[in-house]
Amino acid sequence: MPPVAAAHAAAHAYEYGVEPMFVIDAEGTMHNPNATARRLLPDANWAALWSTHQAAAVNAALEQARQDGTARCEAGLAGSHDSTPWQLALHRLPESEGAVLVTLRRQAPPPDDNEARARRLLSAHCNIVWSTRVFGQFDTDQPGWRAFTGQSEAELMGRGWINALHPDDRSMPYVMPSHLTTVFETEYRLRHVSGAYRNMVVRMLPLLDEHGAVREWLGSHTDVTTQRQGEQQLRLAMQGGRMGTWEIDLGSGSLHCSEACRANFGLLTHTELNYAQLTGAMLDGDLQQWQEAVRTAIAAAADFEIDLRVRWPDGSLHWVHMRGTCTSDGAGNVITLSGISLDLTASKQNEEALRLTLAASEVATWSWDIVSDLVTADRNMARLFPLQPQPTAPTPLASYLSLIHPDDLPHLNAKITEAIEVGQPFEASYRIEGADGQTRHVLARGRVEYGPDGTPLRLPGVILDITRQKQIEDALHSSEERYGTLIELMDQAYCVIEMLYDADGYPVDWRYLEGNPAFVKQSGLENAFGRTIREMVPEHDQHWFNVYDEVLRTGRPIRYENEAHAMQRWFDIYATRLGGPGSRKLAVLFSDISERKRSELQLRKLADDLSEMDRRKTEFLATLAHELRNPLAPIRNGLQIMRMAADKPDTVARVRDVMERQVNQMVHLVDDLLDVARITRGQIDLKPERIDLKTVIASAVETNTPLIETNRHQLDLDMDSQPLLLDADPTRLAQVLGNLLNNAAKYTPAGGRISLIARRDGDEAVIAVRDSGMGIPQGALGSVFDMFTQVGQNMGRAQGGLGIGLSLVRRLVELHGGSASAASDGPGQGSTFTIRLPLLPLPPQIAPQADDSAPAASGQLRVLVVDDNIDAAETLCAILDMMGHQAEMVHDGAQALEHAAQFRPDVVFLDIGLPDMDGYAVARALRQTPVGQHCELVALTGWGGEDDRNQASAAGFNHHLTKPARIDAIGALLAGLSTSNQT
């Protein structure tokens, strides 16, 4: 028990103890008397409590308790008429200055003869009898308790007896209120010496002394387990049977009903039901029957039972069975009626349904008393046999036989004789001549009943009017010939099969018995009749046998579509059992639907493909529209600013830079889209060559250095000391590494760290791009390479784009026979993207290569620009001039051929879409001239497909640039050509 609860219990026990208790301080003043002390000792003066000749002994005991801690003595109270002395128990209180707790006890007088007899009588009728002087505690040994529970004396003392209670019952209040003067009763479960818990009724009575104080508690425990179990069983039985109980007090007219009884009358469980409501619910005719039954029962003091129709409050009609008995007083007068009620509605409805079913199905019942030769029948029988004048009255059997068709009478008599003599069930079908001249077909069934000595006594039975059935059978027989012809002519296959089973009753085969001409066409089986399916198709699917077996067992036809894999056909079948239970024959109607199934499959695939294409198109257009608006807005705004601030060169220059960045972003976006489209359609062609991975890495780093420097990132390169030789497309690999470096720069906060590591791992090159950026959630790692997925989109760090860069990385790497993966410790922990590519074997010896890292010497080139877009031509010439080259421009093909002969260019940038002749024709014409044979032709066009590049190469172009061409790409091209010219 918790300390606080123990303290409360101790205080409660002190206050309401049966013995007077109080405290004497060092000055002799009384304090804290309990309830008993306050009642018996109204004078709170210690010295005034004791007579003069006893004061010295009491004070001596008080001093002894202060010195030794405890003392005892006897003394009588001053002014008391009772000569019985009090026993004083004195205990020094710890941690106090001379305070002593005083407890007064009186020796209980011996019980008188009446009390002793009461205790003996109580012991004879109860399982346990006990007594105690302390509330809720045993202060003396209780032999009855020990015998029943098995607890020892030490275990039951104090509040230890509670441990014998059921755990769920131990929280009950076992400390009795002090004002209790009558019998206290409760019930709980007590552990028996056998270990089982028993239901015990506990009764407790306080015994008072002459002053009215409780001197002792007397209690008993009675085992009521058997009674409670019986009550529970009765309650469950009544609930399960919807049985209620009722009682009518004839003196007061009051009615008491159980919940089930109220429910029988349609009332809620907590609604009261009086006698007026009970009788008011009965229908008029049933009310009179109830009143008569009650009067008769009271007059004879007898039992009664009756079925009544009652109207529920919701208006519905129900049946109730009421059974009652009378209870009389000593003079024999009936004073109460009590009984049970039972809801018969369902039973009555079933009886009515059966009656209507018999009437509707034209079934008649009859019984022939063989000894008296009289037949008793119902009204349905009377309709079949037109007997006069009382068709339902007992009638000799000969009267019924006279109405039977003469041709059927000998057979019927033989069946009757056989049923009586052999004891077999009687069954016969025959015709009856009706009063209207119509002949009725009937089927009679029955069984003879015999006496103890074997004498036939009665033949009861039923007759079914099967006239309609006979008519249907005749019509069916007529139609069989017509349907037989139809089956022969129809395009669907029809056959009759017989199922074959193994010794365990498992279906293993079937035999074809017959079929129509379409059978061979639909099944592909020739000469099948008389043979089994296993003979012709040994690997036929088992599910066909299981389906046909189920039809035979249940008798339910089935419509079924499935594939016969061994026959490479799909069938739509309808199968039904021929004959009754036990038959092994089936009629099967089927069609070959293989072609339809192939068409359905193609249509489903087409629909799925179209749905997926539509979804992707919608997703792509929505994303593309969003991403194109981003650069278009600053471009449009920049144009307006340039018009408004034409006289402000600094503003124009700043706006131009913005527009250039946005145009570059759009070009990058379109390039990525074109690459994805080519890869998705399988139209991208790699141009593999033997390359060193370090060269590709250097190109990718050079391309992304401006973005890295703009964001103030630190880039660390860690390369393998050995060459990493690949058979790969350098342009595509540079695109892969560029995308990874670009992502690392974008998704790393300014001042971050990016590292690129390239190492050999067996026969693979491993490239890892690691950053200290925003990281990737674990749940997003699996989809980071999916189309339209952006690393930071769901983390508030989206950086624009269609989310196709990483998808391009994975697809391009896979085209090279490699793999791409991503790793991250989570948001804010950075990311690592790893590329693995197959390496070429190292040659036995690699010749040292000259250091080509130094920039090549630049030289001036003569460049001719041919473009019908004057703005484009002028801007390109201006760029070429700023690069230190000599540039001139023309705007159609004829001018190009004429000016080339005079200008003698080293390089010609030639637009394909010229107005007079296309660029391919101009290129072919230039190659025919002395000047054109030695110059470099560069196709400058908006068409960047592989087919476009091949067509340009066939026309004589050396290089191909897609509009709008990047300035660094033009510069790199010209720098290479300049170096070649110098060498």
Side-chain angles (χ1 to χ4, degrees):
M1 180 182 295
V4 175
H8 285 309
H12 191 279
Y14 177 85
E15 173 65 18
Y16 297 109
V18 298
E19 299 164 337
M21 303 174 71
F22 53 87
V23 176
I24 299 296
D25 63 14
E27 286 74 25
T29 304
M30 293 175 56
H31 297 281
N32 303 325
N34 67 356
T36 306
R38 290 195 298 271
R39 185 174 66 254
L40 295 179
L41 307 174
D43 190 353
N45 189 324
W46 167 260
L49 289 177
W50 319 109
S51 60
T52 304
H53 67 279
Q54 292 177 330
V58 172
N59 288 327
L62 179 62
E63 289 302 321
Q64 181 184 355
R66 287 173 176 163
Q67 295 295 326
D68 301 336
T70 181
R72 293 180 181 274
C73 69
E74 288 187 359
L77 294 176
S80 174
H81 300 291
D82 188 356
S83 61
T84 304
W86 290 86
Q87 294 181 351
L88 279 70
L90 299 92
H91 299 274
R92 185 182 62 209
L93 295 178
E95 299 181 3
S96 65
E97 297 294 336
V100 175
L101 174 66
V102 180
T103 304
L104 304 183
R105 296 191 178 94
R106 299 189 70 176
Q107 181 67 37
D112 57 21
D113 292 342
N114 290 334
E115 184 177 333
R117 285 196 297 272
R119 289 177 183 264
R120 288 195 297 272
L121 181 62
L122 193 61
S123 299
H125 289 82
C126 301
N127 298 87
I128 305 173
V129 177
W130 50 266
S131 64
T132 182
R133 292 181 297 171
V134 182
F135 290 117
Q137 302 183 32
F138 283 147
D139 56 355
T140 59
D141 185 23
Q142 306 294 331
W145 181 276
R146 285 192 289 104
F148 189 88
T149 65
Q151 281 189 310
S152 65
E153 179 181 352
E155 290 173 334
L156 66 86
M157 291 299 288
R159 297 180 63 85
W161 63 274
I162 295 179
N163 294 327
L165 271 61
H166 192 282
D168 294 343
D169 297 342
R170 295 175 187 175
S171 60
M172 297 174 64
Y174 298 110
V175 177
M176 299 299 106
S178 62
H179 61 274
L180 181 66
T181 58
T182 58
V183 175
F184 170 79
E185 181 174 319
T186 187
E187 183 174 337
Y188 54 67
R189 290 163 290 181
L190 184 65
R191 186 179 63 244
H192 189 256
V193 68
S194 66
Y197 283 97
R198 309 290 293 178
N199 293 82
M200 307 296 290
V201 171
V202 185
R203 294 181 177 88
M204 187 183 307
L205 180 67
L207 301 180
L208 307 179
D209 60 14
E210 68 276 8
H211 300 290
V214 177
R215 63 178 176 84
E216 186 180 15
W217 289 89
L218 180 62
S220 68
H221 282 59
T222 304
D223 189 343
V224 295
T225 304
T226 303
Q227 177 183 344
R228 295 293 182 262
Q229 291 174 346
E231 292 172 354
Q232 177 68 7
Q233 292 171 356
L234 177 60
R235 183 165 52 253
L236 293 175
M238 295 180 67
Q239 290 176 351
R242 294 174 299 174
M243 184 185 298
T245 59
W246 53 270
E247 182 178 271
I248 303 172
D249 187 330
L250 298 182
S252 63
S254 61
L255 171 67
H256 299 283
C257 293
S258 67
E259 291 185 0
C261 180
R262 290 194 290 270
N264 292 156
F265 285 83
L267 298 177
L268 299 177
T269 55
H270 300 294
T271 303
E272 292 298 328
L273 176 64
N274 55 42
Y275 188 74
Q277 291 174 311
L278 177 75
T279 56
M282 301 176 187
L283 300 190
D284 291 342
D286 296 57
L287 175 59
Q288 282 79 29
Q289 295 180 27
W290 161 263
Q291 292 171 340
E292 180 61 29
V294 169
R295 282 194 296 268
T296 302
I298 293 174
D303 297 343
F304 70 95
E305 59 180 321
I306 186 173
D307 293 343
L308 302 169
R309 292 170 297 171
V310 296
R311 184 76 66 183
W312 280 16
D314 62 3
S316 58
L317 185 64
H318 294 260
W319 283 87
V320 178
H321 175 75
M322 301 288 284
R323 178 179 298 175
T325 187
C326 298
T327 302
S328 304
D329 59 12
N333 299 316
V334 177
I335 57 176
T336 60
L337 291 176
S338 60
I340 62 170
S341 65
L342 183 64
D343 188 347
L344 292 181
T345 305
S347 176
K348 290 292 185 179
Q349 289 174 343
N350 291 338
E351 291 178 5
E352 181 64 12
L354 178 60
R355 186 187 66 79
L356 294 175
T357 300
L358 291 175
S361 59
E362 298 180 340
V363 176
T365 60
W366 50 271
S367 178
W368 175 36
D369 187 334
I370 301 175
V371 177
S372 63
D373 191 27
L374 292 176
V375 176
T376 304
D378 61 6
R379 295 186 179 276
N380 283 350
M381 187 77 166
R383 287 197 296 269
L384 292 174
F385 290 84
L387 297 175
Q388 298 296 334
Q390 294 181 337
T392 59
T395 305
L397 178 61
S399 299
Y400 287 95
L401 297 179
S402 65
L403 299 175
I404 295 174
H405 195 285
D407 295 344
D408 299 336
L409 197 55
H411 175 71
L412 176 59
N413 287 327
K415 286 290 184 181
I416 293 175
T417 301
E418 179 183 358
I420 293 175
E421 294 178 353
V422 181
Q424 294 293 328
F426 165 70
E427 180 173 329
S429 58
Y430 49 86
R431 290 164 290 176
I432 301 173
E433 299 293 341
D436 56 358
Q438 299 293 324
T439 300
R440 312 290 296 178
H441 292 265
V442 297
L443 174 64
R445 289 175 178 165
R447 182 182 288 274
V448 177
E449 296 178 356
Y450 299 88
D453 58 353
T455 302
L457 302 178
R458 196 167 69 97
L459 174 58
V462 296
I463 287 184
L464 290 80
D465 186 346
I466 60 173
T467 304
R468 297 178 184 175
Q469 178 182 340
K470 282 292 185 180
Q471 293 172 346
I472 293 172
E473 289 177 356
D474 292 342
L476 180 61
H477 179 73
S478 300
S479 66
E480 283 180 354
E481 297 181 357
R482 298 193 299 269
Y483 286 122
T485 304
L486 177 62
I487 289 174
E488 292 293 319
L489 298 177
M490 67 183 182
D491 189 49
Q492 279 184 298
Y494 170 81
C495 65
V496 176
I497 63 174
E498 180 185 15
M499 290 297 297
L500 304 177
Y501 295 83
D502 61 12
D504 296 326
Y506 190 73
V508 294
D509 206 348
W510 70 69
R511 180 177 289 105
Y512 289 104
L513 301 180
E514 59 178 290
N516 67 347
F519 175 85
V520 175
K521 175 184 175 183
Q522 297 292 342
S523 68
L525 301 176
E526 296 184 357
N527 301 319
F529 303 120
R531 302 171 63 190
T532 68
I533 186 66
R534 291 293 192 194
E535 291 179 46
M536 297 175 285
V537 188
E539 302 299 325
H540 197 46
D541 304 285
Q542 182 61 38
H543 63 81
W544 292 101
F545 301 93
N546 298 338
V547 168
Y548 291 157
D549 176 61
E550 181 181 358
V551 174
L552 287 176
R553 286 187 294 102
T554 63
R556 292 192 298 267
I558 191 172
R559 180 72 179 268
Y560 186 60
E561 283 188 9
N562 212 326
E563 183 177 8
H565 295 87
M567 300 176 69
Q568 298 183 352
R569 293 176 182 239
W570 275 82
F571 293 105
D572 176 8
I573 67 105
Y574 175 84
T576 185
R577 184 176 69 192
L578 293 178
S583 172
R584 294 190 174 186
K585 292 184 179 180
L586 287 165
V588 182
L589 192 67
F590 67 92
S591 299
D592 182 355
I593 58 171
S594 304
E595 188 61 34
R596 192 190 82 191
K597 285 293 182 179
R598 284 191 288 268
S599 300
E600 290 176 356
L601 181 61
Q602 293 173 356
L603 288 174
R604 280 196 299 271
K605 186 176 183 304
L606 178 60
D608 292 343
D609 292 345
L610 290 175
S611 177
E612 179 65 15
M613 290 172 61
D614 184 65
R615 186 191 65 79
R616 291 183 179 180
K617 179 198 68 174
T618 303
E619 191 176 75
F620 165 74
L621 291 177
T623 307
L624 179 61
H626 172 74
E627 293 302 327
L628 287 179
R629 290 191 187 99
N630 289 336
L632 287 176
I635 292 174
R636 182 173 61 182
N637 294 337
L639 291 173
Q640 295 176 354
I641 292 172
M642 292 176 69
R643 282 196 297 269
M644 297 168 62
D647 56 345
K648 298 178 181 179
D650 293 342
T651 301
V652 172
R654 191 163 54 253
V655 170
R656 186 169 56 246
D657 292 341
V658 172
M659 295 173 66
E660 183 176 7
R661 286 196 300 272
Q662 298 303 321
V663 169
N664 290 338
Q665 181 178 340
M666 291 182 65
V667 171
H668 181 71
L669 187 66
V670 173
D671 287 343
D672 282 352
L673 285 172
L674 292 175
D675 285 341
V676 169
R678 295 188 194 102
I679 294 174
T680 302
R681 294 195 298 266
Q683 295 178 347
I684 190 168
D685 292 327
L686 298 180
K687 296 182 178 179
E689 58 184 76
R690 186 184 184 90
I691 59 171
D692 189 345
L693 178 60
K694 297 178 184 178
T695 304
V696 178
I697 293 175
S699 174
V701 169
E702 180 182 4
T703 302
N704 288 275
T705 296
L707 178 59
I708 295 173
E709 292 178 348
T710 299
N711 290 327
R712 305 190 307 280
H713 298 318
Q714 178 181 342
L715 176 63
D716 299 326
L717 298 178
D718 185 1
M719 303 291 177
D720 199 302
S721 59
Q722 298 183 15
L724 301 173
L725 302 180
L726 305 171
D727 183 22
D729 187 330
T731 302
R732 293 303 181 184
L733 283 190
Q735 183 179 0
V736 167
L737 297 176
N739 279 348
L740 294 179
L741 288 172
N742 185 274
N743 273 353
K746 286 196 301 182
Y747 293 104
T748 299
R753 189 183 188 93
I754 301 173
S755 60
L756 193 154
I757 304 169
R759 286 281 185 269
R760 172 185 291 274
D761 183 12
D763 57 355
E764 288 184 326
V766 181
I767 308 105
V769 178
R770 184 176 296 117
D771 62 64
S772 60
M774 57 181 291
I776 305 172
Q778 291 296 316
L781 286 173
S783 60
V784 73
F785 289 102
D786 291 347
M787 184 70 72
F788 306 126
T789 299
Q790 292 180 288
V791 176
Q793 188 171 21
N794 297 325
M795 302 172 62
R797 291 292 306 276
Q799 299 291 329
L802 292 175
I804 60 179
L806 290 178
S807 178
L808 272 175
V809 167
R810 182 178 64 180
R811 297 186 183 196
L812 288 174
V813 169
E814 290 174 349
L815 286 176
H816 282 84
S819 63
S821 62
S824 175
D825 291 335
Q829 301 300 314
S831 307
T832 300
F833 288 86
T834 304
I835 303 299
R836 305 183 74 91
L837 294 168
L839 282 171
L840 292 175
L842 284 172
Q845 182 177 0
I846 301 177
Q849 297 180 356
D851 184 7
D852 58 354
S853 60
S858 61
Q860 187 185 61
L861 295 175
R862 299 164 63 85
V863 183
L864 176 61
V865 177
V866 185
D867 198 331
D868 61 330
N869 187 324
I870 297 175
D871 291 339
E874 287 179 349
T875 55
L876 181 55
C877 284
I879 291 171
L880 294 173
D881 288 339
M882 288 187 289
M883 290 181 177
H885 301 292
Q886 182 181 354
E888 295 185 4
M889 62 180 174
V890 295
H891 304 300
D892 58 39
Q895 292 178 1
L897 294 174
E898 180 181 351
H899 197 71
Q902 301 172 1
F903 183 57
R904 303 185 65 79
D906 299 310
V907 182
V908 178
F909 284 94
L910 181 56
D911 182 26
I912 299 301
L914 296 175
D916 54 345
M917 52 191 302
D918 62 27
Y920 300 125
V922 175
R924 285 191 290 270
L926 277 174
R927 289 303 187 195
Q928 300 300 319
T929 66
V931 174
Q933 292 178 2
H934 302 288
C935 68
E936 294 287 326
L937 298 184
V938 181
L940 192 62
T941 175
W943 306 98
E946 290 298 316
D947 293 338
D948 304 315
R949 293 177 182 271
N950 294 335
Q951 189 175 358
S953 178
F957 284 95
N958 304 96
H959 306 280
H960 189 286
L961 294 179
T962 305
K963 287 183 178 181
R966 294 170 57 91
I967 296 176
D968 54 352
I970 296 174
L973 174 63
L974 295 179
L977 295 179
S978 177
T979 301
S980 299
N981 288 343
Q982 289 180 359
T983 58

